């Protein structure tokens, strides 16, 4: 009972001991897969992609630990502020994009090009977790109380659609919906939502950009455009398949190195990995991801507050969405949408977002017994 | 109470657990699907993909399409592609790259910096990838390499294309030039992403870039396991860009450029009064576009940018000048059409006109005495137009100016074209939030004040005045491959023919009348006689002090001197050509611009540009058709023949 009601400050040492070293180990392992692949993607040139990725990882890693050590109540209090901050940045790129040249989706901070839409995915989850912390499952049967949650999701989605970035906006919707589901929003709402989304898809097709339509159409029949969009999928499948059981060996992936595989350092890095390390390597990577998911679910179940619980599971789902979409894409199961493989693909913002997520999840774990006021 | 809340907690806990299992199960299922797919691709289909991957040695490369050529109306080439010889080296085939470079140094003058740069690049790419050593090699350098090829393993010569403009400065503003694709231009056509691809930056090269560009071909190349090219399997050559034939007569164009280059900054247009075809369009000073396609030095570029004559600007379509007295035909037409004046209206000119408490001066200090319309035009009496304009009003003047092509873009195929400005009351209110003052109408009547016109507009105005009132528009592109781009049936301007005839008579007297302002500039041969109108546009207000001190315009610094203008047409018996000349800060229209106009109109008639048919057969177009046509001399009054 005393443990339950313990609300005293945890000492630094206690926190450090309570860090999820197992999770940290897996994260480092995953990033290591990334460095190896990027070293190979750079044709054995460490400085091309692997080094910048490594240095960003080091910075992000320290950030992750700091985020984990910060009291969860502090994050709870900051939740809406983070959301608003992300939203303002989103508007800023939208405005700058119109004023400047073309559609710009990032803010240049010098060492990193920050994509606010990536950060917004996390901000939405934090904000929703705080909102649902206030309203438990019983409350959520009242539809009126669902409106703010719907707004938290739909406002940034609307902005991201304007960019126009269909993939990211769909991911925000899916991540937000999953969190609503976990928070106990009545099941019939999701059924209705999915049905109406299918119906709405028809007029939506009309408003899609030509390049987006092209992507969907080519996906359905990749051979129709062997030099354009279908090229990516076809080449990615050949590269994957030719890896076989044991792979072609590190640095020996012919398809990736002969430049048949486009974007091999970003979206198609899984292909490069599985070509060189084969089925064994590919499955090991999928397994590593799965273990991370399970670890996060375990953390969620240990949390005593609704906020920590929803936050950790929501961030895990977001992370999982990245991975599932990316891998399904390179295997030719879904259209090419341009989603990176978190922690492995070359790119600053997605690395930052992933490490920040794990920092928050660990903060949830360390402060799993802290009471959080219902505000 | 405690029990209920505990129950609630348990329910919550159950709901959360249940839903976590649903989502977790879904996620696990999806991961399993991915694993299954991986197994399918790598284990079941692995063998098939392996063979595909072995065969996947076909690299598809895009082939750069040849850019279409641009010709003049006689079929003379004005823009084409020259072969560009580049020296390349495959590092792995050399014994020692650095030594090879040293050996090459003497043959194609490579400096130390360039050698360092090549060595730097060689480290970054695979050793079988060819490296460019130098491009734009001349024949001597090429042959020097060819001769020494045995001693230079791995070095070879590659032929590319570079855009060439044989008429250099003379066509720089019409044709424009090509340059590297900038970031904002990428998108759409995949050909733009080819390295070294050039895109039209100005002029026709820009306006017809899509047509000139052509379609990229593809080449399927077999490569071995390590990516080395083995042989070409399939080649689809793509399509050469369209041939564009312009209405320009290169002989006239060359002459115009040279004639204008006597002045510090000038521009001129010669066009057909009936069809609107532009025979010559010049802006001076100019620049050599070949410098821009082959790489220009920073100093030379700075020099072009800082030249006060703005050599990079096409002043014939983008220079906007007050038309000065060349505008008087517009005022006259508005006066005649509104009935404010007739052929017989006459005015006494004492050398100034007092209106609304201000005194407006005529250019002739002592005045012209009694003046009718013909005399007002031929001697360019300002007072006559001042008085008339106050009755006609600015809105009517603007209406007729617009009808004659002033104050808006004429849609010539050059994106550099500017609209000029024809102010009226609504414009003044809209832009300055002020009412139009009657005094502004007075100065507008002689083409001063806010009115801005381009030389192109002035030529077009002249054409419309003397072609019987047809609303011609100027155009440059006559043919794209086999397709003729224009049919030249123009609508009529709603004005009376007799009014146009009257104005034409006034313009004829400018060059033939005893006191005409351009009588000294009449063409020497009678059959080529021209009509026209001079104009001298103030750049700076003439102050009372200037008048009192008798400051001569030619004593002022260059940039304060008047612009000299001339518009003309020829032959007077049966107008065919219209021209406009603007000499920036040239002093006076009759002294500076009219002689140029005379020479241009004389030359175009001698060349007989209008009779050069743009050939139907694409091959026939290459053969020059410049056969001087025998012209029977005839009296100007009854002449019907001449140029047709």
């Amino acid at each position: 009972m005393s443990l339950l009601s313990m609300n005293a400050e945890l000492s630094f040492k206690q926190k450090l001991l309570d860090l999820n070293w197992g999770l940290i180990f897996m994260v480092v392992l995953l990033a290591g897969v990334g460095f190896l692949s990027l070293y190979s993607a750079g044709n054995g040139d460490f400085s091309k992609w692997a080094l910048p990725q490594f240095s960003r990882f080091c910075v992000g890693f320290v950030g992750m630990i700091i985020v984990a050590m910060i009291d969860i109540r502090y994050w709870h209090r900051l939740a809406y502020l983070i959301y608003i901050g992300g939203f303002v940045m989103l508007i800023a790129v939208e405005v700058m994009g119109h004023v400047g040249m073309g559609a710009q989706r990032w803010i240049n901070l010098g060492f990193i090009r920050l994509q606010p839409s990536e950060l917004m995915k996390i901000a939405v989850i934090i904000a929703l977790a705080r909102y649902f912390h206030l309203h438990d499952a019983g409350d959520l049967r009242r539809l009126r109380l669902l409106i703010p949650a719907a707004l938290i999701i739909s406002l940034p989605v609307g902005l991201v659609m304007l960019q126009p970035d269909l993939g990211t906006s769909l991911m925000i919707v899916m991540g937000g919906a999953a969190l609503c589901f976990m928070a106990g929003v009545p099941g019939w709402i999701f059924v209705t939502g999915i049905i109406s989304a299918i119906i709405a898809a028809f007029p939506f097709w009309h408003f899609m950009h030509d390049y987006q339509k092209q992507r969907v159409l080519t996906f359905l029949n990749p051979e129709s455009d062997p030099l354009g969009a279908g090229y990516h999928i076809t080449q990615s499948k050949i590269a994957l398949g030719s890896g076989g059981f044991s792979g072609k060996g590190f640095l020996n992936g012919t398809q990736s190195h002969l430049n048949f595989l486009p974007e091999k350092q970003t979206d198609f890095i899984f292909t490069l990995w599985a070509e060189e390390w084969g089925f064994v390597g590919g499955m090991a990577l999928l397994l590593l991801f799965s273990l991370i998911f399970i670890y996060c679910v375990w953390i969620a179940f240990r949390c005593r507050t609704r906020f920590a619980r929803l936050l950790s599971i929501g961030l895990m789902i977001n992370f999982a969405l990245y991975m599932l979409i990316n891998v399904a894409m390179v295997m030719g199961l879904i259209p090419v949408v341009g989603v990176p493989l978190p922690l492995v693909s070359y790119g600053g913002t997605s690395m930052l977002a992933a490490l920040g997520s794990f920092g928050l999840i660990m903060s949830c774990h360390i402060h799993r017994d802290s009471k959080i006021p219902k505000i | 109470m405690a029990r209920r809340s505990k129950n609630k907690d348990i329910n919550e806990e159950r709901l959360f657990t249940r839903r976590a299992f649903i989502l977790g199960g879904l996620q696990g299922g999806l991961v399993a699907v991915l694993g299954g797919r991986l197994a399918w691709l790598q284990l079941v289909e692995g063998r098939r993909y392996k063979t595909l991957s072995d065969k996947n040695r076909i690299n598809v490369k895009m082939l750069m399409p040849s850019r279409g050529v641009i010709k003049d109306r006689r079929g003379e080439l004005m823009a084409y592609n020259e072969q560009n010889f580049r020296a390349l080296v495959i590092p792995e085939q050399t014994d020692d790259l650095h030594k090879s470079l040293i050996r090459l140094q003497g043959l194609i003058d490579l400096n130390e910096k360039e050698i360092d740069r090549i060595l730097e690049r060689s480290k970054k790419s695979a050793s079988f990838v060819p490296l460019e050593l130098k491009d734009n090699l001349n024949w001597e350098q090429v042959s020097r390499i060819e001769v020494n090829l045995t001693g230079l393993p791995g070095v070879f010569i590659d032929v590319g294309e570079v855009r060439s403009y044989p008429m250099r400065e003379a066509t720089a503003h019409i044709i424009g030039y090509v340059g590297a694709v900038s970031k904002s231009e990428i998108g759409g056509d995949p050909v733009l992403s080819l390295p070294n691809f050039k895109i039209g930056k100005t002029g026709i090269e820009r306006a017809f870039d899509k047509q000139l560009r052509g379609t990229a071909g593809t080449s399927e190349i077999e490569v071995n396991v390590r990516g080395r090219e083995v042989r070409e399997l399939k080649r689809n050559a793509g399509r050469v860009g369209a041939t564009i034939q312009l209405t320009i007569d290169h002989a006239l164009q060359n002459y115009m450029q040279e004639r204008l280059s006597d002045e510090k900054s000038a521009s001129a247009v010669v066009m057909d009064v009936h069809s609107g075809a532009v025979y010559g369009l010049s802006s001076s000073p100019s620049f050599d576009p070949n410098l821009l396609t082959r790489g220009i030095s920073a100093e030379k570029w700075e020099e072009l940018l800082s030249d006060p004559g703005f050599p990079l600007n096409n002043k014939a379509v983008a220079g906007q000048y007050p038309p000065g007295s060349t505008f008087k035909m517009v005022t006259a037409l508005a006066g005649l059409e509104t009935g404010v004046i007739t052929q017989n209206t006459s005015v006494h000119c004492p050398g100034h006109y007092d209106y609304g408490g201000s005194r407006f001066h005529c250019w002739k200090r002592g005045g012209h005495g009694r003046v009718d319309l013909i005399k007002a035009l031929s001697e360019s009496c300002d007072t006559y137009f001042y008085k008339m304009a106050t009755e006609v009003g600015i809105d009517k003047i603007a209406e007729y100016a617009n009808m004659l092509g002033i104050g808006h873009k004429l849609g010539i195929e050059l994106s550099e074209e500017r609209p000029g400005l024809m102010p009226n009351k609504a414009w003044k209110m809209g832009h300055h939030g002020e009412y139009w003052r009657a005094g502004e109408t007075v100065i507008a009547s002689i083409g001063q004040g806010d009115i801005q016109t381009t030389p192109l507009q002035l030529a077009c105005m002249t054409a419309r005045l003397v072609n019987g009132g047809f609303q011609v528009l100027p155009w440059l592109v006559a043919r794209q491959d086999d397709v003729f781009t224009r049919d030249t049936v123009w609508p009529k301007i709603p004005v009376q023919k007799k009014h146009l005839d009257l104005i034409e008579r006034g313009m004829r007297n400018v060059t033939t009348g005893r006191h005409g302002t351009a009588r000294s500039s009449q063409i020497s041969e009678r059959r080529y006689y021209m009509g026209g109108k001079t104009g001298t546009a103030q750049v700076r207000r003439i102050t009372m002090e200037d008048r009192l001190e008798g400051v001569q315009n030619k004593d002022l610094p260059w940039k304060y001197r008047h612009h000299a203008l001339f518009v003309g047409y020829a032959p007077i018996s049966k107008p065919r050509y219209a021209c406009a000349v603007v000499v920036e800060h040239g002093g006076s229209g009759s002294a500076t611009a009219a002689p140029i106009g005379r020479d241009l109109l004389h030359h175009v008639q001698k060349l007989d540009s209008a009779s050069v048919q743009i050939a139907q057969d694409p091959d026939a177009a290459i053969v020059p058709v410049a056969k001087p046509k025998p012209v029977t001399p005839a009296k100007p009054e009854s002449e019907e023949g001449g140029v047709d």
Side-chain angles (χ1 to χ4, degrees):
Chain A
M1 203 59 207
S2 65
L3 229 152
L4 238 172
S5 62
M6 191 189 82
N7 213 354
E9 294 301 320
L10 295 160
S11 74
F12 184 73
K13 203 179 149 196
Q14 268 176 306
K15 285 185 178 184
L16 209 60
L17 281 173
D18 219 8
L19 269 175
N20 307 87
W21 291 103
L23 184 59
I24 293 174
F25 174 71
M26 288 195 281
V27 165
V28 171
L29 214 57
L30 199 52
V33 167
F35 305 145
L36 278 181
S37 305
L38 289 174
Y39 177 72
S40 173
N43 261 335
D45 182 355
F46 189 69
S47 63
K48 196 169 180 187
W49 287 312
L51 184 64
Q53 179 86 341
F54 182 71
S55 46
R56 279 195 293 240
F57 177 76
C58 291
V59 175
F61 186 82
V62 174
M64 174 176 79
I65 302 294
I66 294 171
V67 168
M69 304 294 259
I70 291 172
D71 198 309
I72 187 81
R73 281 165 292 185
Y74 190 66
W75 290 118
H76 173 260
R77 222 177 314 147
L78 276 180
Y80 290 153
L81 209 64
I82 292 173
Y83 179 82
I84 292 166
F87 196 70
V88 169
M89 279 206 284
L90 213 52
I91 292 175
V93 280
E94 184 65 23
V95 173
M96 280 186 341
H98 280 293
V99 176
M101 307 265 266
Q104 201 174 329
R105 293 173 183 176
W106 36 264
I107 294 173
N108 202 342
L109 295 181
F111 68 102
I112 188 174
R113 284 174 171 181
L114 207 58
Q115 293 182 6
S117 57
E118 293 289 317
L119 300 182
M120 204 59 211
K121 289 174 194 162
I122 295 175
V124 165
I125 285 161
I126 299 176
L128 279 177
R130 175 168 171 177
Y131 182 74
F132 289 132
H133 180 68
L134 184 60
H135 302 288
D136 58 27
D139 287 352
L140 295 179
R141 250 169 255 138
R142 285 151 70 192
L143 281 181
R144 188 171 54 83
L145 287 174
L146 291 179
I147 294 170
L151 279 180
I152 288 175
I153 300 173
S154 53
L155 286 179
V157 167
L159 267 183
V160 175
M161 290 248 237
L162 281 179
Q163 278 188 354
D165 186 346
L166 191 65
T168 305
S169 37
L170 271 176
M171 272 185 76
I172 298 178
V173 170
M174 285 194 281
L179 194 62
C180 292
F181 183 73
M182 289 311 297
V185 171
W188 63 267
I189 288 182
F190 295 96
V191 178
T192 327
I194 291 169
I195 292 172
S196 44
I198 292 170
I199 296 168
F202 291 99
F204 191 74
W205 172 259
H206 262 288
F207 294 105
M208 252 163 53
H209 277 249
D210 277 347
Y211 78 93
Q212 287 167 331
K213 282 187 187 173
Q214 191 58 42
R215 276 182 174 182
V216 176
L217 289 176
T218 318
F219 163 68
L220 296 174
N221 181 17
E223 272 70 40
S224 69
D225 186 14
L227 271 181
Y231 182 80
H232 293 210
I233 298 171
T234 312
Q235 292 300 339
S236 177
K237 270 156 66 178
I238 292 175
L240 271 173
S242 63
F245 181 73
S246 54
K248 295 175 182 170
F250 185 50
L251 296 180
N252 286 326
T254 53
Q255 299 304 295
S256 334
H257 290 165
L258 292 184
N259 282 326
F260 284 114
L261 190 64
E263 307 272 337
K264 55 181 179 288
Q265 80 281 15
T266 56
D267 292 356
F268 285 88
I269 196 137
F270 183 85
T271 310
L272 182 138
W273 172 260
E275 187 193 5
E276 297 192 344
W277 299 90
F279 181 69
V280 178
M283 282 311 273
L285 191 53
L286 290 183
L287 192 68
L288 182 58
F289 270 107
S290 304
L291 285 176
I292 292 175
F293 302 159
I294 292 167
Y295 201 121
C296 294
V297 174
W298 176 77
I299 289 178
F301 271 96
R302 292 194 69 189
C303 293
R304 297 210 166 243
T305 56
R306 208 166 137 80
F307 175 70
R309 199 169 249 203
L310 289 174
L311 182 60
S312 50
I313 207 142
L315 292 173
M316 182 276 281
I317 289 168
N318 182 47
F319 183 76
L321 272 176
Y322 269 102
M323 174 269 188
L324 289 171
I325 291 175
N326 176 275
V327 177
M329 171 183 92
V330 301
M331 289 180 177
L333 290 172
I334 56 165
V336 177
V337 277
V339 170
L341 189 62
L343 287 175
V344 184
S345 284
Y346 183 75
T349 315
S350 71
M351 166 81 75
L352 209 70
L355 290 175
S357 297
F358 286 115
L360 283 170
I361 289 171
M362 285 191 279
S363 175
C364 289
H365 180 256
I366 293 169
H367 309 94
R368 58 191 173 276
D369 294 325
S370 299
K371 270 197 174 148
I372 299 171
K374 290 220 164 204
I375 47 166
Chain B
M1 192 65 197
R3 222 190 137 112
R4 257 192 65 193
S5 112
K6 203 173 176 188
N7 265 341
K8 202 179 147 199
D9 279 354
I10 290 170
N11 279 339
E12 283 261 9
E13 189 71 34
R14 274 205 199 127
L15 182 74
F16 185 80
T17 311
R18 193 168 64 231
R19 293 205 163 179
F21 270 103
I22 295 174
L23 263 189
L26 190 67
Q27 223 170 311
L30 289 174
V31 174
V33 168
L34 294 184
R37 174 73 172 174
L38 194 64
W40 173 262
L41 287 174
Q42 295 197 302
L43 303 181
V44 183
E45 296 267 88
R47 196 174 296 256
R48 189 170 77 88
Y49 281 119
K50 201 154 217 149
T51 28
L52 270 179
S53 142
D54 286 339
K55 280 187 195 157
N56 200 352
R57 300 262 163 68
I58 300 164
N59 234 330
V60 181
K61 283 204 300 192
M62 227 188 298
L63 296 173
M64 183 130 34
S66 237
R67 198 171 172 84
V69 300
I70 304 174
K71 297 172 176 177
D72 87 329
R73 67 185 301 111
R74 296 179 193 268
E76 185 82 10
L77 283 171
M78 298 199 290
Y80 66 97
N81 309 303
E82 222 167 48
Q83 286 183 323
N84 171 24
F85 294 94
R86 299 189 302 163
L88 295 106
V89 65
I90 297 171
E92 67 168 10
Q93 291 179 11
T94 60
D95 305 326
D96 179 339
L97 180 60
H98 194 224
K99 276 186 193 149
S100 301
L101 291 177
I102 303 279
R103 221 170 302 151
L104 275 163
Q105 208 173 355
L107 304 176
I108 53 173
D109 23 86
L110 285 172
N111 57 36
E112 292 300 323
K113 233 191 194 160
E114 285 171 305
I115 287 181
D116 286 346
R117 219 176 294 143
I118 293 164
L119 288 173
E120 191 59 40
R121 269 191 290 146
S122 75
K123 278 180 210 145
K124 284 195 184 133
S125 56
S127 59
F128 53 79
V129 177
L131 287 176
E132 185 183 299
L133 299 170
K134 201 171 183 98
D135 69 345
N136 290 320
L137 296 177
N138 58 34
W139 258 115
E140 207 179 328
Q141 291 169 321
V142 171
S143 40
R144 248 183 280 163
I145 289 181
E146 295 279 356
V147 167
N148 291 291
L149 222 45
T150 43
L152 296 164
V155 175
F156 65 100
I157 302 275
D158 172 75
V159 190
E161 287 188 334
V162 63
R163 198 71 163 163
S164 190
Y165 304 101
M167 291 172 65
R168 300 154 68 95
E169 282 85 355
T171 55
H173 295 115
I174 302 172
I175 308 289
Y177 57 90
V178 294
V181 183
S182 71
K183 255 199 188 125
S184 57
E185 288 162 335
I186 291 184
D189 198 342
V191 79
L192 294 182
S193 58
L194 275 175
N196 293 327
F197 191 80
K198 297 285 164 61
I199 193 170
K201 293 289 180 185
T202 59
I204 293 292
E205 291 273 31
R206 173 172 163 175
F208 281 74
D209 186 71
K210 284 224 168 72
Q211 293 87 330
L212 287 164
R213 216 184 264 169
T215 322
T218 49
S219 159
E220 288 180 13
I221 290 168
E222 186 182 331
V223 292
N224 67 13
V225 196
R226 294 175 56 203
R228 215 166 286 165
E229 296 184 1
V230 179
R231 65 196 167 111
E232 189 176 58
L233 298 172
K234 216 159 101 188
R235 194 184 182 91
N236 162 17
R239 217 177 56 235
V240 179
T243 297
I244 301 281
Q245 193 164 16
L246 302 185
T247 55
I248 296 292
D249 182 339
H250 77 275
L252 176 71
Q253 184 68 29
N254 271 331
Y255 176 80
M256 279 172 78
Q257 196 67 40
E258 205 176 312
R259 182 68 182 84
L260 290 185
S261 65
D262 296 343
E263 302 297 334
K264 206 162 174 180
S265 175
S267 55
V269 176
V270 175
M271 63 185 272
D272 193 294
V273 300
H274 299 300
S275 70
V278 174
Y279 296 122
L281 185 145
S282 262
S283 177
S284 175
S286 184
F287 61 96
D288 184 355
N290 296 306
L291 288 179
L292 297 175
T293 55
R294 277 159 221 245
I296 186 170
S297 67
E299 302 94 72
K300 184 80 191 152
W301 178 245
E302 272 305 312
E303 201 184 308
L304 284 175
L305 286 180
S306 58
D307 190 317
F310 298 107
L312 293 172
N313 288 10
N314 184 353
K315 291 184 288 264
V317 298
Q320 302 182 113
Y321 309 94
S325 297
T326 59
F327 190 74
K328 284 176 180 164
M329 282 82 81
V330 177
T331 314
L333 186 64
L336 289 166
E337 285 290 319
T338 51
V340 172
I341 56 163
T342 65
Q343 184 175 357
N344 306 319
T345 308
S346 71
V347 163
H348 176 73
C349 169
H352 55 81
Y353 179 65
D354 294 318
Y355 183 77
S358 299
R359 170 158 289 191
F360 297 90
H361 290 272
C362 181
W363 69 269
K364 196 168 180 182
R365 286 188 92 175
H368 288 92
R370 235 132 190 109
V371 188
D372 65 357
L373 178 63
I374 302 297
K375 190 175 171 193
L377 280 171
S378 65
E379 297 180 25
S380 206
C381 170
D382 294 337
T383 311
Y384 185 89
F385 294 95
Y386 290 152
K387 181 162 188 301
M388 178 212 319
T390 55
E391 290 173 55
V392 176
I394 188 65
D395 283 349
K396 273 287 168 203
I397 294 176
E399 194 185 319
Y400 284 93
N402 289 334
M403 268 182 219
L404 291 171
I406 287 167
H408 50 85
K409 285 190 185 178
L410 299 172
I412 194 168
E413 299 94 325
L414 298 172
S415 56
E416 293 81 20
E417 190 193 359
R418 300 284 298 272
L421 175 66
M422 185 59 228
N424 61 14
K425 287 179 183 165
W427 171 83
K428 182 87 189 278
M429 195 38 95
H431 277 77
H432 296 290
E434 288 170 20
Y435 287 104
W436 182 268
R437 283 167 301 157
E440 289 177 89
T441 309
V442 175
I443 57 168
S445 73
I446 59 156
Q448 293 285 165
D450 289 317
I451 307 177
Q452 299 277 314
T453 55
T454 64
L456 184 72
Q457 287 171 343
L458 292 175
C460 181
M461 168 194 83
T462 312
R464 290 180 184 188
L465 283 169
V466 299
N467 70 3
F470 288 94
Q471 215 154 0
V472 291
L473 287 169
W475 49 281
L476 278 171
V477 175
R479 198 168 63 151
Q480 182 186 322
D481 281 337
D482 291 338
V483 184
F484 286 81
T485 52
R486 289 279 177 159
D487 106 58
T488 50
V489 180
W490 305 104
K492 243 182 153 159
I493 308 171
V495 294
Q496 292 185 50
K497 181 79 169 61
K498 62 173 185 186
H499 292 157
L500 291 172
D501 289 344
L502 206 57
I503 289 168
E504 197 267 324
R505 231 174 82 204
M507 290 170 80
R508 196 186 302 182
N509 277 351
V510 169
T511 49
T512 52
R514 268 188 64 206
H515 298 285
T517 52
R519 72 188 177 284
S520 57
S521 297
Q522 184 55 287
I523 296 171
S524 51
E525 287 171 79
R526 205 179 172 83
R527 61 186 162 138
Y528 293 147
Y529 266 13
M530 68 171 185
K533 182 77 193 77
T534 57
T536 306
Q538 277 170 234
V539 177
R540 162 180 178 273
R541 210 184 129 81
I542 301 172
T543 59
M544 208 44 162
E545 291 88 84
D546 291 343
R547 270 187 221 288
L548 290 176
E549 290 167 21
V551 171
Q552 291 281 308
N553 191 251
K554 64 178 194 292
D555 300 332
L556 290 171
W558 183 71
K559 62 176 182 174
Y560 293 129
R561 283 182 219 162
H562 301 321
H563 292 317
L565 296 94
F566 178 75
V567 299
Y569 62 94
I572 46 177
S573 51
K574 197 181 178 195
R576 184 69 206 242
Y577 302 100
C579 94
V581 178
V582 175
V583 180
E584 281 189 7
H585 311 293
S588 108
S590 53
T592 315
I596 298 176
R598 171 198 63 203
D599 292 347
L600 300 187
L601 284 173
H602 192 181
H603 210 78
V604 72
Q605 291 181 88
K606 278 198 291 185
L607 286 168
D608 200 7
S609 302
S611 71
V612 179
Q613 288 299 313
I614 292 170
Q616 293 272 354
D617 176 12
D619 294 323
I622 301 165
V623 185
V625 235
K627 273 181 242 149
K629 237 172 107 183
V631 183
T632 42
K635 289 181 213 97
E637 250 60 55
S638 58
E639 187 184 321
E640 276 301 317
V643 187
D644 189 51

